[in-house]
Amino acid sequence: SQQGEEDPQALSIQEGENATMNCSYKTSINNLQWYRQNSGRGLVHLILIRSNEREKHSGRLRVTLDTSKKSSSLLITASRAADTASYFCATDADVQKLVFGQGTRLTINP
Amino acid sequence: DAGVIQSPRHEVTEMGQEVTLRCKPISGHDYLFWYRQTMMRGLELLIYFNNNVPIDDSGMPEDRFSAKMPNASFSTLKIQPSEPRDSAVYFCASSLGGSGGNYGYTFGSGTRLTVV
Protein backbone atom coordinates (compact mmCIF):
# COMPACT_ATOMS: atom_id res chain seq x y z
CA SER A 1 0.00 0.00 0.00
CA GLN A 2 1.09 3.59 -0.52
CA GLN A 3 3.01 5.14 2.34
CA GLY A 4 1.90 8.64 1.43
CA GLU A 5 -1.63 9.60 0.51
CA GLU A 6 -2.35 13.05 -0.85
CA ASP A 7 -5.57 14.93 -0.37
CA PRO A 8 -7.37 16.22 -2.32
CA GLN A 9 -6.84 14.19 -5.48
CA ALA A 10 -7.61 17.28 -7.55
CA LEU A 11 -7.76 20.99 -6.77
CA SER A 12 -8.82 23.86 -9.00
CA ILE A 13 -8.36 27.48 -7.89
CA GLN A 14 -8.12 30.96 -9.34
CA GLU A 15 -4.79 32.57 -10.04
CA GLY A 16 -3.60 34.53 -7.05
CA GLU A 17 -5.30 32.29 -4.50
CA ASN A 18 -3.42 30.01 -2.14
CA ALA A 19 -3.36 26.25 -2.72
CA THR A 20 -3.07 23.74 0.11
CA MET A 21 -2.39 20.06 -0.37
CA ASN A 22 -2.14 17.45 2.36
CA CYS A 23 -0.23 14.23 2.74
CA SER A 24 -0.74 11.48 5.30
CA TYR A 25 1.60 8.58 5.90
CA LYS A 26 1.61 5.44 7.98
CA THR A 27 5.01 4.72 9.52
CA SER A 28 7.83 6.66 11.13
CA ILE A 29 9.99 8.69 8.78
CA ASN A 30 13.32 10.48 8.71
CA ASN A 31 12.18 13.06 6.23
CA LEU A 32 9.33 13.92 3.89
CA GLN A 33 9.77 15.42 0.45
CA TRP A 34 7.47 17.17 -2.01
CA TYR A 35 7.79 16.92 -5.78
CA ARG A 36 6.10 18.61 -8.72
CA GLN A 37 5.33 17.00 -12.06
CA ASN A 38 4.37 19.06 -15.06
CA SER A 39 2.39 17.27 -17.73
CA GLY A 40 4.57 14.94 -19.76
CA ARG A 41 7.67 15.57 -17.64
CA GLY A 42 9.58 13.90 -14.84
CA LEU A 43 9.12 14.76 -11.19
CA VAL A 44 11.08 17.69 -9.81
CA HIS A 45 12.18 17.91 -6.18
CA LEU A 46 10.70 20.94 -4.42
CA ILE A 47 11.48 20.75 -0.74
CA LEU A 48 12.52 18.40 2.04
CA ILE A 49 11.44 18.60 5.67
CA ARG A 50 13.10 16.51 8.35
CA SER A 51 11.22 14.70 11.08
CA ASN A 52 12.53 17.13 13.72
CA GLU A 53 11.29 20.17 11.80
CA ARG A 54 7.76 21.54 11.96
CA GLU A 55 7.79 24.09 9.17
CA LYS A 56 9.94 25.02 6.24
CA HIS A 57 9.75 27.75 3.60
CA SER A 58 11.11 28.05 0.10
CA GLY A 59 9.96 31.04 -1.91
CA ARG A 60 6.16 30.78 -2.23
CA LEU A 61 6.17 27.26 -0.78
CA ARG A 62 5.48 26.50 2.84
CA VAL A 63 5.61 22.95 4.16
CA THR A 64 4.49 21.80 7.57
CA LEU A 65 5.01 18.46 9.25
CA ASP A 66 3.11 16.98 12.16
CA THR A 67 4.76 13.70 13.11
CA SER A 68 2.20 13.02 15.84
CA LYS A 69 -0.54 13.00 13.22
CA LYS A 70 1.72 11.57 10.52
CA SER A 71 0.73 14.31 8.14
CA SER A 72 2.23 17.12 6.10
CA SER A 73 0.84 20.00 4.11
CA LEU A 74 2.17 21.97 1.17
CA LEU A 75 0.98 25.55 0.78
CA ILE A 76 1.59 27.48 -2.41
CA THR A 77 0.88 31.16 -1.92
CA ALA A 78 -0.20 33.63 -4.60
CA SER A 79 -0.62 30.86 -7.18
CA ARG A 80 0.30 31.37 -10.82
CA ALA A 81 -0.74 29.59 -13.99
CA ALA A 82 2.73 28.03 -14.11
CA ASP A 83 1.98 26.24 -10.83
CA THR A 84 -0.48 23.99 -12.67
CA ALA A 85 0.96 20.51 -12.16
CA SER A 86 0.65 17.38 -10.06
CA TYR A 87 2.22 17.44 -6.62
CA PHE A 88 3.51 14.34 -4.83
CA CYS A 89 4.72 13.71 -1.32
CA ALA A 90 7.37 11.07 -0.70
CA THR A 91 8.51 9.46 2.51
CA ASP A 92 11.56 7.44 3.50
CA ALA A 93 10.19 4.83 5.86
CA ASP A 94 12.75 2.60 4.16
CA VAL A 95 16.04 4.51 4.24
CA GLN A 96 17.06 3.03 0.90
CA LYS A 97 14.13 4.35 -1.08
CA LEU A 98 11.30 6.85 -1.20
CA VAL A 99 7.67 5.86 -1.47
CA PHE A 100 5.49 8.28 -3.44
CA GLY A 101 1.82 9.01 -2.97
CA GLN A 102 -0.75 9.19 -5.74
CA GLY A 103 -0.46 12.94 -6.08
CA THR A 104 -2.71 15.99 -6.13
CA ARG A 105 -3.55 17.46 -9.51
CA LEU A 106 -3.54 21.25 -9.18
CA THR A 107 -5.11 23.50 -11.81
CA ILE A 108 -4.69 27.26 -11.64
CA ASN A 109 -7.35 29.09 -13.62
CA PRO A 110 -6.47 32.48 -15.11
CA ASP B 1 25.56 18.03 -15.46
CA ALA B 2 22.79 17.51 -18.03
CA GLY B 3 20.62 15.69 -15.54
CA VAL B 4 19.28 12.17 -15.86
CA ILE B 5 19.08 11.27 -19.53
CA GLN B 6 16.59 8.74 -20.83
CA SER B 7 16.16 7.37 -24.31
CA PRO B 8 14.13 7.00 -26.35
CA ARG B 9 11.63 9.72 -25.45
CA HIS B 10 8.81 7.86 -27.16
CA GLU B 11 8.58 4.23 -28.26
CA VAL B 12 5.79 2.59 -30.19
CA THR B 13 6.14 -1.12 -30.70
CA GLU B 14 4.05 -4.11 -31.62
CA MET B 15 2.99 -6.70 -29.10
CA GLY B 16 5.60 -9.42 -28.77
CA GLN B 17 8.55 -7.23 -29.67
CA GLU B 18 11.49 -6.58 -27.39
CA VAL B 19 11.79 -3.09 -25.95
CA THR B 20 14.90 -1.60 -24.35
CA LEU B 21 14.82 1.61 -22.39
CA ARG B 22 18.03 3.41 -21.49
CA CYS B 23 19.13 5.68 -18.68
CA LYS B 24 22.23 7.70 -17.88
CA PRO B 25 22.19 8.83 -14.24
CA ILE B 26 23.86 11.88 -12.81
CA SER B 27 27.57 11.38 -12.33
CA GLY B 28 28.40 10.63 -8.71
CA HIS B 29 24.95 9.44 -7.73
CA ASP B 30 25.05 6.02 -6.11
CA TYR B 31 21.38 5.05 -6.42
CA LEU B 32 19.35 4.47 -9.56
CA PHE B 33 15.62 3.80 -9.67
CA TRP B 34 13.24 2.66 -12.40
CA TYR B 35 9.58 3.71 -12.05
CA ARG B 36 6.50 3.13 -14.14
CA GLN B 37 3.64 5.62 -14.17
CA THR B 38 0.08 4.97 -15.32
CA MET B 39 -3.21 6.71 -14.62
CA MET B 40 -4.60 3.64 -12.91
CA ARG B 41 -1.65 2.66 -10.70
CA GLY B 42 0.23 5.91 -10.27
CA LEU B 43 3.99 5.83 -9.79
CA GLU B 44 5.30 2.32 -9.18
CA LEU B 45 8.87 1.48 -8.22
CA LEU B 46 10.06 -1.38 -10.39
CA ILE B 47 13.67 -1.88 -9.29
CA TYR B 48 16.55 0.04 -7.81
CA PHE B 49 20.32 -0.24 -7.76
CA ASN B 50 22.95 0.85 -5.27
CA ASN B 51 26.47 1.16 -6.64
CA ASN B 52 25.38 -0.76 -9.74
CA VAL B 53 24.03 -3.70 -7.71
CA PRO B 54 20.30 -4.51 -7.88
CA ILE B 55 18.89 -4.21 -4.38
CA ASP B 56 15.16 -4.72 -4.72
CA ASP B 57 13.35 -5.93 -7.82
CA SER B 58 10.12 -6.87 -6.08
CA GLY B 59 8.25 -4.29 -8.13
CA MET B 60 9.13 -5.87 -11.45
CA PRO B 61 5.78 -7.13 -12.78
CA GLU B 62 6.96 -10.47 -14.15
CA ASP B 63 9.81 -12.29 -15.80
CA ARG B 64 9.27 -10.39 -19.02
CA PHE B 65 10.94 -7.41 -17.33
CA SER B 66 14.67 -7.26 -16.65
CA ALA B 67 17.05 -4.47 -15.71
CA LYS B 68 20.81 -4.13 -15.73
CA MET B 69 23.35 -1.60 -14.64
CA PRO B 70 26.70 -2.66 -16.14
CA ASN B 71 28.45 0.49 -14.87
CA ALA B 72 27.83 3.65 -12.89
CA SER B 73 26.81 5.65 -15.94
CA PHE B 74 24.33 3.39 -17.69
CA SER B 75 21.27 1.28 -17.01
CA THR B 76 18.73 -0.51 -19.17
CA LEU B 77 15.21 -1.77 -18.61
CA LYS B 78 14.17 -4.47 -21.04
CA ILE B 79 10.72 -5.89 -21.74
CA GLN B 80 10.59 -9.10 -23.73
CA PRO B 81 8.03 -9.87 -25.06
CA SER B 82 6.09 -6.64 -24.73
CA GLU B 83 2.33 -6.59 -24.18
CA PRO B 84 -0.28 -3.80 -24.52
CA ARG B 85 -0.65 -3.61 -20.74
CA ASP B 86 2.99 -2.52 -20.52
CA SER B 87 2.02 0.79 -22.09
CA ALA B 88 3.05 3.48 -19.61
CA VAL B 89 5.61 6.19 -18.97
CA TYR B 90 8.83 4.75 -17.59
CA PHE B 91 11.02 7.01 -15.49
CA CYS B 92 14.58 6.63 -14.37
CA ALA B 93 15.77 8.58 -11.32
CA SER B 94 19.08 8.83 -9.54
CA SER B 95 20.14 10.11 -6.14
CA LEU B 96 22.94 10.46 -3.67
CA GLY B 97 21.82 8.16 -0.90
CA GLY B 98 18.70 6.06 -0.92
CA SER B 99 16.36 8.85 0.07
CA GLY B 100 18.19 11.53 -1.85
CA GLY B 101 19.27 13.70 1.06
CA ASN B 102 18.62 17.43 0.78
CA TYR B 103 18.27 17.31 -2.99
CA GLY B 104 15.98 14.33 -3.33
CA TYR B 105 15.75 12.33 -6.50
CA THR B 106 16.55 13.65 -9.95
CA PHE B 107 14.17 12.24 -12.52
CA GLY B 108 14.67 11.86 -16.23
CA SER B 109 12.06 13.07 -18.69
CA GLY B 110 10.70 9.57 -19.10
CA THR B 111 10.05 7.19 -21.97
CA ARG B 112 6.45 6.98 -23.12
CA LEU B 113 5.95 3.39 -24.25
CA THR B 114 2.98 2.36 -26.36
CA VAL B 115 2.54 -1.30 -27.21
CA VAL B 116 -0.03 -1.95 -29.93
PDB file of all heavy atoms in Angstrom, chain A residues 87-109:
ATOM      1  N   TYR A  87       1.304  17.325  -7.754  1.00  0.00           N
ATOM      2  CA  TYR A  87       2.219  17.436  -6.624  1.00  0.00           C
ATOM      3  C   TYR A  87       2.192  16.138  -5.822  1.00  0.00           C
ATOM      4  O   TYR A  87       1.115  15.625  -5.500  1.00  0.00           O
ATOM      5  CB  TYR A  87       1.842  18.632  -5.750  1.00  0.00           C
ATOM      6  CG  TYR A  87       2.080  19.941  -6.453  1.00  0.00           C
ATOM      7  CD1 TYR A  87       1.141  20.442  -7.348  1.00  0.00           C
ATOM      8  CD2 TYR A  87       3.253  20.660  -6.257  1.00  0.00           C
ATOM      9  CE1 TYR A  87       1.365  21.622  -8.035  1.00  0.00           C
ATOM     10  CE2 TYR A  87       3.485  21.850  -6.936  1.00  0.00           C
ATOM     11  CZ  TYR A  87       2.536  22.315  -7.818  1.00  0.00           C
ATOM     12  OH  TYR A  87       2.773  23.494  -8.501  1.00  0.00           O
ATOM     13  N   PHE A  88       3.373  15.623  -5.523  1.00  0.00           N
ATOM     14  CA  PHE A  88       3.509  14.344  -4.829  1.00  0.00           C
ATOM     15  C   PHE A  88       4.308  14.521  -3.545  1.00  0.00           C
ATOM     16  O   PHE A  88       5.304  15.252  -3.523  1.00  0.00           O
ATOM     17  CB  PHE A  88       4.264  13.339  -5.704  1.00  0.00           C
ATOM     18  CG  PHE A  88       3.570  12.956  -6.977  1.00  0.00           C
ATOM     19  CD1 PHE A  88       3.672  13.749  -8.107  1.00  0.00           C
ATOM     20  CD2 PHE A  88       2.834  11.793  -7.051  1.00  0.00           C
ATOM     21  CE1 PHE A  88       3.037  13.403  -9.280  1.00  0.00           C
ATOM     22  CE2 PHE A  88       2.189  11.420  -8.232  1.00  0.00           C
ATOM     23  CZ  PHE A  88       2.296  12.230  -9.346  1.00  0.00           C
ATOM     24  N   CYS A  89       3.872  13.814  -2.497  1.00  0.00           N
ATOM     25  CA  CYS A  89       4.719  13.710  -1.323  1.00  0.00           C
ATOM     26  C   CYS A  89       5.429  12.360  -1.367  1.00  0.00           C
ATOM     27  O   CYS A  89       4.949  11.417  -2.000  1.00  0.00           O
ATOM     28  CB  CYS A  89       3.922  13.857  -0.026  1.00  0.00           C
ATOM     29  SG  CYS A  89       2.791  12.503   0.360  1.00  0.00           S
ATOM     30  N   ALA A  90       6.577  12.296  -0.731  1.00  0.00           N
ATOM     31  CA  ALA A  90       7.366  11.066  -0.704  1.00  0.00           C
ATOM     32  C   ALA A  90       7.997  10.918   0.667  1.00  0.00           C
ATOM     33  O   ALA A  90       8.490  11.893   1.243  1.00  0.00           O
ATOM     34  CB  ALA A  90       8.441  11.094  -1.793  1.00  0.00           C
ATOM     35  N   THR A  91       7.980   9.715   1.181  1.00  0.00           N
ATOM     36  CA  THR A  91       8.514   9.464   2.513  1.00  0.00           C
ATOM     37  C   THR A  91       9.580   8.373   2.463  1.00  0.00           C
ATOM     38  O   THR A  91       9.616   7.561   1.536  1.00  0.00           O
ATOM     39  CB  THR A  91       7.394   9.025   3.475  1.00  0.00           C
ATOM     40  OG1 THR A  91       6.687   7.926   2.892  1.00  0.00           O
ATOM     41  CG2 THR A  91       6.418  10.144   3.737  1.00  0.00           C
ATOM     42  N   ASP A  92      10.425   8.368   3.473  1.00  0.00           N
ATOM     43  CA  ASP A  92      11.563   7.445   3.498  1.00  0.00           C
ATOM     44  C   ASP A  92      11.461   6.470   4.660  1.00  0.00           C
ATOM     45  O   ASP A  92      12.428   6.285   5.407  1.00  0.00           O
ATOM     46  CB  ASP A  92      12.866   8.215   3.574  1.00  0.00           C
ATOM     47  CG  ASP A  92      13.016   8.960   4.897  1.00  0.00           C
ATOM     48  OD1 ASP A  92      12.002   9.098   5.622  1.00  0.00           O
ATOM     49  OD2 ASP A  92      14.139   9.379   5.222  1.00  0.00           O
ATOM     50  N   ALA A  93      10.322   5.846   4.816  1.00  0.00           N
ATOM     51  CA  ALA A  93      10.189   4.834   5.864  1.00  0.00           C
ATOM     52  C   ALA A  93      11.269   3.771   5.708  1.00  0.00           C
ATOM     53  O   ALA A  93      11.779   3.216   6.678  1.00  0.00           O
ATOM     54  CB  ALA A  93       8.802   4.200   5.804  1.00  0.00           C
ATOM     55  N   ASP A  94      11.618   3.466   4.479  1.00  0.00           N
ATOM     56  CA  ASP A  94      12.746   2.599   4.161  1.00  0.00           C
ATOM     57  C   ASP A  94      13.891   3.519   3.749  1.00  0.00           C
ATOM     58  O   ASP A  94      13.770   4.228   2.763  1.00  0.00           O
ATOM     59  CB  ASP A  94      12.366   1.654   3.014  1.00  0.00           C
ATOM     60  CG  ASP A  94      13.496   0.733   2.610  1.00  0.00           C
ATOM     61  OD1 ASP A  94      14.675   1.042   2.897  1.00  0.00           O
ATOM     62  OD2 ASP A  94      13.221  -0.305   1.992  1.00  0.00           O
ATOM     63  N   VAL A  95      14.982   3.519   4.495  1.00  0.00           N
ATOM     64  CA  VAL A  95      16.044   4.509   4.243  1.00  0.00           C
ATOM     65  C   VAL A  95      16.684   4.345   2.871  1.00  0.00           C
ATOM     66  O   VAL A  95      17.410   5.228   2.420  1.00  0.00           O
ATOM     67  CB  VAL A  95      17.141   4.450   5.323  1.00  0.00           C
ATOM     68  CG1 VAL A  95      16.588   4.832   6.664  1.00  0.00           C
ATOM     69  CG2 VAL A  95      17.785   3.069   5.373  1.00  0.00           C
ATOM     70  N   GLN A  96      16.436   3.234   2.199  1.00  0.00           N
ATOM     71  CA  GLN A  96      17.065   3.026   0.897  1.00  0.00           C
ATOM     72  C   GLN A  96      16.196   3.472  -0.255  1.00  0.00           C
ATOM     73  O   GLN A  96      16.610   3.375  -1.402  1.00  0.00           O
ATOM     74  CB  GLN A  96      17.456   1.564   0.720  1.00  0.00           C
ATOM     75  CG  GLN A  96      18.601   1.129   1.588  1.00  0.00           C
ATOM     76  CD  GLN A  96      19.430   0.048   0.910  1.00  0.00           C
ATOM     77  OE1 GLN A  96      20.233   0.311   0.018  1.00  0.00           O
ATOM     78  NE2 GLN A  96      19.201  -1.182   1.325  1.00  0.00           N
ATOM     79  N   LYS A  97      14.959   3.920   0.033  1.00  0.00           N
ATOM     80  CA  LYS A  97      14.130   4.348  -1.076  1.00  0.00           C
ATOM     81  C   LYS A  97      13.013   5.237  -0.563  1.00  0.00           C
ATOM     82  O   LYS A  97      12.664   5.218   0.612  1.00  0.00           O
ATOM     83  CB  LYS A  97      13.529   3.133  -1.793  1.00  0.00           C
ATOM     84  CG  LYS A  97      12.574   2.328  -0.943  1.00  0.00           C
ATOM     85  CD  LYS A  97      12.083   1.076  -1.670  1.00  0.00           C
ATOM     86  CE  LYS A  97      11.127   0.308  -0.779  1.00  0.00           C
ATOM     87  NZ  LYS A  97      10.751  -1.003  -1.352  1.00  0.00           N
ATOM     88  N   LEU A  98      12.471   6.030  -1.492  1.00  0.00           N
ATOM     89  CA  LEU A  98      11.298   6.848  -1.200  1.00  0.00           C
ATOM     90  C   LEU A  98      10.056   6.129  -1.701  1.00  0.00           C
ATOM     91  O   LEU A  98      10.116   5.389  -2.689  1.00  0.00           O
ATOM     92  CB  LEU A  98      11.393   8.193  -1.917  1.00  0.00           C
ATOM     93  CG  LEU A  98      12.494   9.150  -1.470  1.00  0.00           C
ATOM     94  CD1 LEU A  98      12.481  10.396  -2.354  1.00  0.00           C
ATOM     95  CD2 LEU A  98      12.310   9.515  -0.012  1.00  0.00           C
ATOM     96  N   VAL A  99       8.959   6.363  -1.014  1.00  0.00           N
ATOM     97  CA  VAL A  99       7.669   5.863  -1.473  1.00  0.00           C
ATOM     98  C   VAL A  99       6.802   7.075  -1.763  1.00  0.00           C
ATOM     99  O   VAL A  99       6.629   7.943  -0.894  1.00  0.00           O
ATOM    100  CB  VAL A  99       7.001   4.956  -0.426  1.00  0.00           C
ATOM    101  CG1 VAL A  99       5.636   4.499  -0.923  1.00  0.00           C
ATOM    102  CG2 VAL A  99       7.888   3.751  -0.127  1.00  0.00           C
ATOM    103  N   PHE A 100       6.277   7.141  -2.980  1.00  0.00           N
ATOM    104  CA  PHE A 100       5.494   8.282  -3.438  1.00  0.00           C
ATOM    105  C   PHE A 100       4.008   8.021  -3.273  1.00  0.00           C
ATOM    106  O   PHE A 100       3.542   6.892  -3.440  1.00  0.00           O
ATOM    107  CB  PHE A 100       5.800   8.562  -4.912  1.00  0.00           C
ATOM    108  CG  PHE A 100       7.156   9.136  -5.149  1.00  0.00           C
ATOM    109  CD1 PHE A 100       8.266   8.306  -5.231  1.00  0.00           C
ATOM    110  CD2 PHE A 100       7.343  10.501  -5.277  1.00  0.00           C
ATOM    111  CE1 PHE A 100       9.534   8.828  -5.443  1.00  0.00           C
ATOM    112  CE2 PHE A 100       8.604  11.037  -5.491  1.00  0.00           C
ATOM    113  CZ  PHE A 100       9.701  10.194  -5.576  1.00  0.00           C
ATOM    114  N   GLY A 101       3.268   9.095  -2.996  1.00  0.00           N
ATOM    115  CA  GLY A 101       1.819   9.014  -2.970  1.00  0.00           C
ATOM    116  C   GLY A 101       1.254   9.100  -4.375  1.00  0.00           C
ATOM    117  O   GLY A 101       1.994   9.106  -5.363  1.00  0.00           O
ATOM    118  N   GLN A 102      -0.070   9.167  -4.447  1.00  0.00           N
ATOM    119  CA  GLN A 102      -0.745   9.186  -5.742  1.00  0.00           C
ATOM    120  C   GLN A 102      -0.802  10.578  -6.350  1.00  0.00           C
ATOM    121  O   GLN A 102      -1.128  10.729  -7.520  1.00  0.00           O
ATOM    122  CB  GLN A 102      -2.168   8.640  -5.598  1.00  0.00           C
ATOM    123  CG  GLN A 102      -2.246   7.177  -5.241  1.00  0.00           C
ATOM    124  CD  GLN A 102      -2.064   6.266  -6.442  1.00  0.00           C
ATOM    125  OE1 GLN A 102      -1.318   6.569  -7.385  1.00  0.00           O
ATOM    126  NE2 GLN A 102      -2.727   5.123  -6.426  1.00  0.00           N
ATOM    127  N   GLY A 103      -0.548  11.594  -5.553  1.00  0.00           N
ATOM    128  CA  GLY A 103      -0.463  12.941  -6.083  1.00  0.00           C
ATOM    129  C   GLY A 103      -1.747  13.731  -6.018  1.00  0.00           C
ATOM    130  O   GLY A 103      -2.846  13.168  -5.958  1.00  0.00           O
ATOM    131  N   THR A 104      -1.601  15.044  -6.017  1.00  0.00           N
ATOM    132  CA  THR A 104      -2.713  15.986  -6.130  1.00  0.00           C
ATOM    133  C   THR A 104      -2.544  16.743  -7.428  1.00  0.00           C
ATOM    134  O   THR A 104      -1.485  17.319  -7.684  1.00  0.00           O
ATOM    135  CB  THR A 104      -2.724  16.992  -4.961  1.00  0.00           C
ATOM    136  OG1 THR A 104      -3.043  16.317  -3.745  1.00  0.00           O
ATOM    137  CG2 THR A 104      -3.755  18.099  -5.212  1.00  0.00           C
ATOM    138  N   ARG A 105      -3.591  16.743  -8.228  1.00  0.00           N
ATOM    139  CA  ARG A 105      -3.550  17.456  -9.509  1.00  0.00           C
ATOM    140  C   ARG A 105      -4.077  18.868  -9.282  1.00  0.00           C
ATOM    141  O   ARG A 105      -5.251  19.052  -8.968  1.00  0.00           O
ATOM    142  CB  ARG A 105      -4.381  16.717 -10.538  1.00  0.00           C
ATOM    143  CG  ARG A 105      -4.186  17.190 -11.960  1.00  0.00           C
ATOM    144  CD  ARG A 105      -4.837  16.250 -12.962  1.00  0.00           C
ATOM    145  NE  ARG A 105      -6.269  16.142 -12.777  1.00  0.00           N
ATOM    146  CZ  ARG A 105      -6.867  15.089 -12.245  1.00  0.00           C
ATOM    147  NH1 ARG A 105      -6.186  14.049 -11.847  1.00  0.00           N
ATOM    148  NH2 ARG A 105      -8.183  15.066 -12.115  1.00  0.00           N
ATOM    149  N   LEU A 106      -3.195  19.854  -9.432  1.00  0.00           N
ATOM    150  CA  LEU A 106      -3.541  21.253  -9.178  1.00  0.00           C
ATOM    151  C   LEU A 106      -3.716  21.995 -10.492  1.00  0.00           C
ATOM    152  O   LEU A 106      -2.826  21.950 -11.357  1.00  0.00           O
ATOM    153  CB  LEU A 106      -2.446  21.923  -8.347  1.00  0.00           C
ATOM    154  CG  LEU A 106      -2.605  23.431  -8.099  1.00  0.00           C
ATOM    155  CD1 LEU A 106      -3.835  23.707  -7.250  1.00  0.00           C
ATOM    156  CD2 LEU A 106      -1.350  23.991  -7.430  1.00  0.00           C
ATOM    157  N   THR A 107      -4.846  22.673 -10.628  1.00  0.00           N
ATOM    158  CA  THR A 107      -5.109  23.497 -11.809  1.00  0.00           C
ATOM    159  C   THR A 107      -5.308  24.927 -11.352  1.00  0.00           C
ATOM    160  O   THR A 107      -6.143  25.200 -10.473  1.00  0.00           O
ATOM    161  CB  THR A 107      -6.361  23.018 -12.554  1.00  0.00           C
ATOM    162  OG1 THR A 107      -6.191  21.651 -12.938  1.00  0.00           O
ATOM    163  CG2 THR A 107      -6.594  23.874 -13.797  1.00  0.00           C
ATOM    164  N   ILE A 108      -4.557  25.837 -11.934  1.00  0.00           N
ATOM    165  CA  ILE A 108      -4.686  27.259 -11.641  1.00  0.00           C
ATOM    166  C   ILE A 108      -5.393  27.916 -12.826  1.00  0.00           C
ATOM    167  O   ILE A 108      -4.881  27.916 -13.942  1.00  0.00           O
ATOM    168  CB  ILE A 108      -3.324  27.927 -11.423  1.00  0.00           C
ATOM    169  CG1 ILE A 108      -2.490  27.145 -10.399  1.00  0.00           C
ATOM    170  CG2 ILE A 108      -3.518  29.386 -10.999  1.00  0.00           C
ATOM    171  CD1 ILE A 108      -3.104  27.062  -9.024  1.00  0.00           C
ATOM    172  N   ASN A 109      -6.553  28.466 -12.559  1.00  0.00           N
ATOM    173  CA  ASN A 109      -7.351  29.091 -13.616  1.00  0.00           C
ATOM    174  C   ASN A 109      -7.040  30.574 -13.712  1.00  0.00           C
ATOM    175  O   ASN A 109      -7.001  31.261 -12.698  1.00  0.00           O
ATOM    176  CB  ASN A 109      -8.842  28.886 -13.328  1.00  0.00           C
ATOM    177  CG  ASN A 109      -9.205  27.412 -13.233  1.00  0.00           C
ATOM    178  OD1 ASN A 109      -8.965  26.655 -14.146  1.00  0.00           O
ATOM    179  ND2 ASN A 109      -9.766  27.014 -12.093  1.00  0.00           N
TER     180      ASN A 109
END
